[in-house]
């Protein structure tokens, strides 16, 4: 197993006494496409916000490429190679596609991966996004808006991207296309962590999956291992 | 050079066509030539319409392009004006006094804005609180200045003067050449034109593109790798210095300043100029600021007691029908719909 690019140790976060994540320890090897699944309220989005620095953990550590980034601000983590799309699309809706993509290009990290530009151009091409388009982002269909945000994150040249339900609201064709692009990006060496509900999508793209349930990690493994896990079947799939 | 031209004609302000630039050059030439037909008094009045443009452009940059509404711009207007008055007033007889005073005024402006902005932006104060904080700053400054009537409030030879204001502030001077009358008009005009073009370069630069992102969603922008605190602070300081430039021009024009210049009414005026023209366009703000100052001055000097009420009513009408600003809405919609669509503009506005 290669060195983990992203690792957490005992990550815990409370919001006004409500435990959102509890003692979460995960390890994502470089180059893996990992899905994180779990029912609503399992703490998946909170985990992402702790990984990218939007929230500070109450306890535990986040390690990015072996470096402890737990106390680093979000923008410093991004500059160290992490990228994130939100559960609710947060491309700049009132700006044009061109303005959205141009807003990112100033960040040229010194240690960005050699093929970062290639990945970005590939995503633009496969997502059918014209970087010079003056069309307002809010006028894009939903799935292209989701793709635009992914392209924006790729423009920064990350080593690992966190996608929070990237296919929510997409048709099956659009979901399939998203999966194809993500798999290609992953095959070029990009580490991808996806929070997802769509089991078919997870089965299509994930190399390994992590199941979360009300805070801690419940199970981890390939999709077959996960779906065969007794606790997962009982809690997540509602089966005995 | 071609890079500069490309930035100048970039997409982040209205007016990009050859026709626009031909008109822009023609208007500039006209503005440089037409004082030959004016009396010196009229030229000085025209300078007054223009001298508020920098403060308004600064607010357009801060609010329209960066999403931070500030009622504190007049505080920096006042800081620069008072500091200039104190420094230049203490250097009367020294030809370098006004230049030193101007530099000191702008430096103190930048410093106070940097200190205030540091606590606001690095303290991650939420966006909706910033207008309140800046208004409080302004009112505190006015209150402080208002109680400086006593003889003890004297800095060197200059009396702060409380609500009577600071009087006898020297005009601007380069060497032995005192900038008044016609020359003052040209001095203001050059500053306004250079200021506008510089800001146009800024908003079309890569820095400007990130400002737009900041305006739309600061958290998304931070998660693209930008230190949004530093960027907001830089824009805040630029806007404060621009307000300071207006403050300098004002005291050099009228040779006095009073605390009411940094009062509640004055604090709201730049916001109105910017909102009426359209905060997301520098050109719109430039035009609306000149027009509104001309209207106010003309109505007041013609003896209309209700100048402010007339202007207020106009503003309400504009804001009701053109919430994105009248000039921005017209520039956006007219090419699409033609003049006949004018009455329905507010219904079809974008955003």
């Amino acid at each position: 197993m290669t060195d983990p690019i992203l690792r957490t140790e005992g990550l815990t976060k409370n919001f006004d006494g409500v435990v959102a994540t509890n003692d979460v320890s995960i390890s994502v090897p470089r180059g893996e496409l990992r899905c994180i699944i779990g029912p609503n309220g399992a703490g998946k989005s909170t985990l992402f916000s702790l990984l990218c620095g939007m929230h500070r953990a109450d306890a535990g550590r986040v390690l990015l490429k072996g470096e402890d980034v737990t106390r680093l601000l979000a923008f410093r983590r991004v500059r160290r190679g992490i990228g994130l799309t939100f559960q609710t699309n947060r491309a700049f809706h009132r700006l044009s596609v061109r303005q959205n993509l141009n807003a990112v290009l100033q960040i040229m990290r010194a240690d960005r991966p050699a093929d970062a530009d290639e990945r970005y151009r590939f995503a633009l091409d496969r997502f059918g996004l014209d970087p010079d388009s003056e069309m307002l982002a809010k006028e894009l269909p939903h799935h292209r808006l989701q793709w635009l945000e992914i392209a924006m994150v790729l423009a920064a040249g990350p080593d690992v991207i966190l996608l929070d339900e990237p296919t929510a609201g997409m048709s099956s064709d659009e979901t399939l296309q998203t999966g194809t692009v993500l798999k290609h990006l992953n095959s070029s060496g990009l580490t991808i962590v996806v929070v997802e509900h769509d089991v078919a999508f997870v089965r299509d793209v994930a190399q390994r999956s992590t199941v979360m349930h009300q805070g801690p990690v419940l199970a981890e493994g390939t999709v077959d291992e996960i779906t065969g896990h007794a606790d997962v079947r009982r809690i997540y799939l509602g089966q005995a | 050079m071609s890079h500069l031209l490309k930035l100048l004609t970039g997409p982040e302000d209205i007016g990009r066509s050859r026709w626009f630039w031909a008109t822009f050059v023609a208007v500039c030439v006209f503005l440089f030539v037409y004082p030959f037909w004016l009396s010196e008094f009229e030229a000085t009045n025209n300078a007054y319409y223009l001298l508020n443009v920098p403060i308004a452009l600064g607010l357009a940059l801060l609010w329209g392009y960066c999403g931070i509404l500030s009622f504190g711009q007049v505080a920096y207007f006042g800081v620069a004006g008072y500091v200039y008055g104190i420094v230049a007033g203490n250097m009367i007889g020294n030809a370098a006094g006004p230049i030193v005073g101007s530099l000191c005024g702008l430096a103190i402006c930048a410093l106070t804005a940097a200190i205030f902005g540091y606590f606001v932006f690095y303290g991650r104060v939420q966006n909706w609180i910033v207008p309140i904080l800046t208004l409080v700053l302004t009112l505190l400054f006015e209150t402080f200045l208002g109680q400086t009537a006593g003889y003890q409030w004297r800095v060197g030879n200059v009396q702060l003067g409380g609500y009577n204001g600071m009087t006898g502030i020297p005009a601007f001077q380069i060497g032995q050449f005192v900038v008044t009358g016609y020359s003052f008009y040209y001095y203001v005009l050059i500053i306004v034109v250079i200021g506008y073009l510089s800001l146009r370069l800024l908003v079309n630069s890569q820095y400007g593109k990130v400002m737009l992102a900041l305006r739309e969603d600061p958290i998304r922008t931070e998660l693209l790798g930008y230190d949004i605190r530093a960027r907001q602070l830089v824009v805040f300081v630029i806007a404060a210095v621009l307000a300071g430039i207006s403050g300098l021009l004002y005291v050099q024009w009228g040779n006095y300043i009073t605390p009411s210049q940094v009062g509640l009414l004055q604090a709201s005026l730049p916001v109105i100029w910017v909102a009426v023209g359209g905060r997301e366009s520098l050109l719109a703000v430039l035009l609306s600021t000149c027009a509104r100052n001309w209207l106010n001055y003309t109505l007041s000097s013609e003896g209309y007691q209700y100048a402010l009420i007339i202007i207020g009513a106009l503003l309400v009408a504009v804001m009701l029908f053109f919430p994105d600003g009248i000039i921005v809405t017209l520039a956006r919609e007219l090419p699409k719909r033609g003049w006949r669509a004018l009455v329905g503009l507010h219904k079809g506005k974008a955003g």
Side-chain angles (χ1 to χ4, degrees):
Chain A
M1 190 178 180
T2 55
D3 286 341
I5 193 166
L6 188 62
R7 188 154 66 92
T8 69
E9 292 174 356
L11 215 51
T12 300
K13 180 69 181 175
N14 295 282
F15 290 108
D16 296 327
V18 178
V19 179
T21 60
N22 183 19
D23 196 21
V24 172
S25 298
I26 61 168
S27 178
V28 181
R30 186 181 285 274
E32 186 171 287
L33 202 166
R34 168 78 59 96
C35 281
I36 299 192
I37 58 177
N40 288 332
K44 308 182 296 291
S45 295
T46 305
L47 173 65
F48 270 19
S49 75
L50 295 174
L51 290 176
C52 73
M54 272 172 68
H55 291 117
R56 288 285 178 89
D58 297 329
R61 297 202 302 161
V62 178
L63 292 105
L64 179 63
K65 295 188 274 187
E67 181 192 4
D68 187 345
V69 296
T70 317
R71 304 197 64 77
L72 287 188
L73 294 171
F75 74 92
R76 295 197 198 284
R77 297 189 199 193
V78 173
R79 290 181 186 181
R80 280 166 172 74
I82 203 164
L84 170 116
T85 66
F86 293 85
Q87 187 174 4
T88 309
N89 187 283
R90 283 178 89 159
F92 306 116
H93 292 199
R94 286 178 69 246
L95 301 185
S96 67
V97 172
R98 175 189 60 77
Q99 287 171 316
N100 268 277
L101 295 170
N102 277 347
V104 193
L105 293 176
Q106 195 175 350
I107 293 292
M108 299 294 275
R109 290 171 41 223
D111 62 340
R112 63 192 259 132
D115 43 5
D117 289 340
E118 205 175 306
R119 284 177 193 150
Y120 171 60
R121 281 195 299 272
F122 171 80
L124 287 183
D125 181 50
R126 295 302 290 271
F127 288 151
L129 294 165
D130 174 6
D132 296 321
S133 169
E134 291 297 335
M135 182 185 245
L136 294 181
K138 66 181 178 185
E139 291 167 359
L140 291 174
H142 171 75
H143 66 284
R144 290 169 82 89
L145 197 56
Q146 296 283 75
W147 290 345
L148 174 63
E149 197 179 3
I150 296 174
M152 287 162 68
V153 169
L154 289 172
D159 298 303
V160 52
I161 57 173
L162 314 175
L163 308 177
D164 197 347
E165 299 195 31
T167 66
M170 287 189 189
S171 71
S172 53
D173 280 352
E174 292 152 6
T175 302
L176 197 65
Q177 200 175 340
T178 308
T180 306
V181 173
L182 292 185
K183 281 190 286 187
H184 180 92
L185 292 170
N186 174 246
S187 70
S188 75
L190 181 69
T191 310
I192 304 176
V193 184
V194 187
V195 162
E196 192 52 66
H197 280 299
D198 184 340
V199 176
F201 178 81
V202 173
R203 191 174 283 284
D204 177 32
V205 302
Q207 289 152 4
R208 287 175 71 79
S209 298
T210 301
V211 185
M212 292 180 67
H213 180 62
Q214 293 177 349
V217 170
L218 184 69
E220 199 167 284
T222 63
V223 175
D224 288 336
E225 287 166 357
I226 293 288
T227 50
H229 195 286
D231 286 340
V232 175
R233 296 178 74 84
R234 180 172 51 79
I235 295 168
Y236 186 52
L237 302 175
Q239 295 173 8
Chain B
M1 189 65 190
S2 66
H3 178 65
L4 276 183
L5 274 177
K6 201 175 160 193
L7 282 183
L8 208 53
T9 55
E12 310 308 349
D13 194 7
I14 55 176
R16 299 178 60 196
S17 64
R18 285 175 189 279
W19 281 109
F20 166 76
W21 286 108
T23 312
F24 181 83
V25 171
V27 168
C28 284
V29 169
F30 172 74
L31 288 174
F32 273 94
V33 171
Y34 99 120
F36 292 119
W37 289 277
L38 294 177
S39 69
E40 194 156 36
F41 174 72
E42 286 168 321
T44 313
N45 283 350
N46 281 310
Y48 174 76
Y49 311 144
L50 289 172
L51 65 81
N52 282 308
V53 168
I55 186 174
L57 288 179
L59 184 62
L61 190 74
L62 187 61
W63 182 26
Y65 285 82
C66 203
I68 302 162
L69 173 57
S70 165
F71 281 93
Q73 299 313 98
V74 284
Y76 301 109
F77 178 103
V79 165
Y82 270 92
V83 169
Y84 174 84
I86 290 168
V87 175
N90 278 296
M91 292 177 73
I92 286 177
N94 184 337
I99 288 180
V100 175
S102 300
L103 293 176
C104 286
L106 296 182
I108 301 289
C109 244
L111 184 68
T112 48
I115 293 170
F116 180 79
Y118 175 81
F119 287 107
V120 169
F121 300 117
Y122 279 72
R124 303 230 181 212
V125 170
Q126 289 179 34
N127 250 8
W128 66 271
I129 301 178
V130 177
I132 301 169
L133 283 179
T134 49
L135 184 60
V136 169
L137 173 80
T138 302
L139 296 181
L140 273 175
F141 190 47
E142 184 202 10
T143 308
F144 165 74
L145 290 171
Q147 53 86 52
T148 58
Y151 190 75
Q152 71 274 27
W153 293 101
R154 193 178 174 86
V155 184
N157 301 321
V158 176
Q159 187 76 36
L160 293 185
Y163 273 103
N164 292 325
M166 184 188 283
T167 54
I169 298 174
F172 190 62
Q173 187 175 344
I174 302 168
Q176 296 305 317
F177 180 71
V178 179
V179 182
T180 56
Y182 289 119
S183 59
F184 183 74
Y185 167 81
Y186 286 113
Y187 163 64
V188 176
L189 183 61
I190 289 167
I191 287 176
V192 166
V193 171
I194 291 176
Y196 169 68
L197 295 178
S198 308
L199 288 179
R200 219 175 141 124
L201 289 176
L202 177 67
V203 299
N204 281 305
S205 69
Q206 192 60 43
Y207 204 94
K209 296 181 198 313
V210 181
M211 271 165 35
L212 296 183
L214 252 175
R215 175 188 74 194
E216 296 302 315
D217 187 343
I219 292 183
R220 173 72 272 180
T221 309
E222 176 159 11
L223 279 163
L224 292 173
Y226 296 105
D227 185 355
I228 59 170
R229 307 164 305 172
R231 286 180 182 260
Q232 287 171 324
L233 181 61
V234 167
V235 177
F236 190 74
V237 171
I238 292 173
V241 169
L242 285 163
I245 289 174
S246 280
L248 288 180
L249 296 177
Y250 177 78
V251 295
Q252 291 163 358
W253 169 78
N255 309 114
Y256 74 100
I257 187 167
T258 71
S260 59
Q261 279 306 125
V262 296
L264 189 59
L265 174 65
Q266 294 297 325
S268 63
L269 288 180
V271 177
I272 291 168
W273 304 331
V274 172
V276 167
R279 63 183 184 275
E280 293 178 13
S281 162
L282 296 168
L283 180 69
V285 168
L286 188 156
L287 294 175
S288 80
T289 304
C290 292
R292 193 270 172 208
N293 278 291
W294 167 80
L295 187 63
N296 190 34
Y297 194 89
T298 308
L299 285 174
S300 305
S301 58
E302 293 291 326
Y304 289 103
Q305 295 174 9
Y306 304 112
L308 273 177
I309 294 176
I310 293 170
I311 285 171
L314 276 176
L315 294 178
V316 171
V318 166
M319 295 319 292
L320 271 177
F321 295 107
F322 304 96
D324 285 345
I326 187 163
I327 298 169
V328 165
T329 312
L330 289 177
R332 194 185 288 155
E333 300 295 333
L334 278 180
K336 290 187 210 161
R337 306 211 221 164
W339 289 100
R340 278 184 301 171
L342 193 59
V343 287
L345 280 178
H346 63 290
K347 292 173 192 159
K349 71 158 198 92

